[in-house]
Amino acid sequence: MGFVRNAYLMWKSFRLPWRSDVLKGLDLDGNLYFERHVRGASRTRRHVVYKKYLTVSEYSDDIIPVQWQAWMRHTREQPPTAQELIQDIQRRERLAEN
């Protein structure tokens, strides 16, 4: 990634008083994952901003990696790392070879 994009992503990841959505990470496809603290709610709201525009008929479960799906559904507390996503791709490639 370029310097400008890295600076933008770092800026979006800061939790500032006037910012409702905080960037929590991105996947290998470039999708951005955000978390929002809602006053009075028992847990945070999480959502994804897809890198490319998708029509309603193009959405499916396999667009988002499984690790990010678990984070979005609050079954894991911490967002996945890039290394974790790369290891999963390598594991799937090894399984496909067998």
Side-chain angles (χ1 to χ4, degrees):
M1 285 191 269
F3 172 76
V4 174
R5 180 154 170 86
N6 282 340
Y8 169 76
L9 294 175
M10 186 178 296
W11 170 251
K12 292 300 256 182
S13 67
F14 292 143
R15 183 174 303 282
L16 301 171
W18 62 85
R19 180 173 290 151
S20 60
D21 293 343
V22 176
L23 178 68
K24 288 301 190 171
L26 62 150
D27 62 16
L28 300 176
D29 294 329
N31 300 322
L32 302 174
Y33 297 86
F34 291 90
E35 187 171 49
R36 173 185 299 173
H37 289 278
V38 179
R39 198 173 288 156
S42 61
R43 64 183 190 181
T44 60
R45 310 285 180 175
R46 297 174 175 175
H47 67 276
V48 61
V49 175
Y50 296 101
K51 182 172 183 166
K52 65 176 187 171
Y53 176 77
L54 300 172
T55 62
V56 174
S57 62
E58 293 175 320
Y59 287 100
S60 67
D61 289 341
D62 60 349
I63 293 175
I64 299 176
V66 175
Q67 295 85 352
W68 278 109
Q69 288 180 19
W71 181 80
M72 296 278 293
R73 294 179 178 135
H74 294 274
T75 53
R76 72 181 286 165
E77 190 63 31
Q78 297 299 320
T81 62
Q83 181 65 28
E84 188 178 347
L85 297 172
I86 292 169
Q87 287 175 350
D88 186 54
I89 290 173
Q90 293 170 345
R91 181 190 62 82
R92 282 188 272 147
E93 289 172 353
R94 283 193 311 271
L95 288 174
E97 291 174 1
N98 295 333

